[in-house]
Amino acid sequence: MTCPPGTYLAFDFGERRLGVAVGQSLTGSARPLETLDCRQGIPWERLRALLDQWAPAGLVVGLPLHADGSPSAMSEAAERFARRLHGRYHLPVHHVAELLSSVEAEARLRESGGHKAGLDAVAAQVILETWFAEAAHGAS
């Protein structure tokens, strides 16, 4: 897998919330942006505004998998979200297993004294950093 240089947005998809992070492939670093409320559906207008603001080279969606690598109940919903992102915005959409991203996000928030309200955005940050690391090591 190659990761063209540029800015990327990542998403931690959930039925109620969507965590968003932004990062740079050159440095392999990411930061949480915001958590969007999805209880009334995907906030497509806000996503468009974020894409207009950051002009990403691509998007990364975390796929929730079980520890053995098999799909979870949320995997199909996350894949559907990824297909919809690609269909609406015509950007490359990459997937990365998000195994334990929320656990890592909780640990980071505890260390930094952050608020749990930012958990989903920090999970998106973990997802993007994982994807950058896998791309740097040639993982698929």
Side-chain angles (χ1 to χ4, degrees), residues 2-139:
T2 60
C3 179
T7 299
Y8 287 79
L9 290 179
F11 303 96
D12 178 36
F13 178 80
E15 293 178 332
R16 290 178 285 201
R17 292 177 304 279
L18 179 66
V20 185
V22 64
Q24 275 293 325
S25 61
L26 289 174
T27 61
S29 63
R31 68 180 178 89
L33 273 182
E34 62 184 273
T35 299
L36 305 176
D37 186 341
C38 293
R39 288 176 290 189
Q40 302 298 319
I42 305 295
W44 294 112
E45 289 181 26
R46 181 63 188 139
L47 289 176
R48 167 49 75 193
L50 288 169
L51 270 66
D52 289 346
Q53 177 182 356
W54 293 99
L59 309 172
V60 178
V61 175
L63 289 182
L65 302 175
H66 293 293
D68 66 0
S70 64
S72 74
M74 284 298 295
S75 296
E76 177 56 36
E79 288 176 347
R80 185 172 41 255
F81 172 69
R83 287 191 301 270
R84 291 176 75 187
L85 281 172
H86 178 71
R88 282 177 176 262
Y89 306 120
H90 308 290
L91 289 168
V93 179
H94 309 276
H95 301 88
V96 66
E98 66 163 272
L99 185 63
L100 302 178
S101 63
S102 293
V103 173
E104 173 66 19
E106 286 177 4
R108 290 183 185 193
L109 283 173
R110 268 195 310 277
E111 287 175 13
S112 69
H115 297 281
K116 189 169 174 136
L119 178 66
D120 298 289
V122 175
Q125 174 189 10
V126 171
I127 288 165
L128 190 51
E129 290 171 349
T130 300
W131 186 74
F132 286 149
E134 289 178 0
H137 292 97

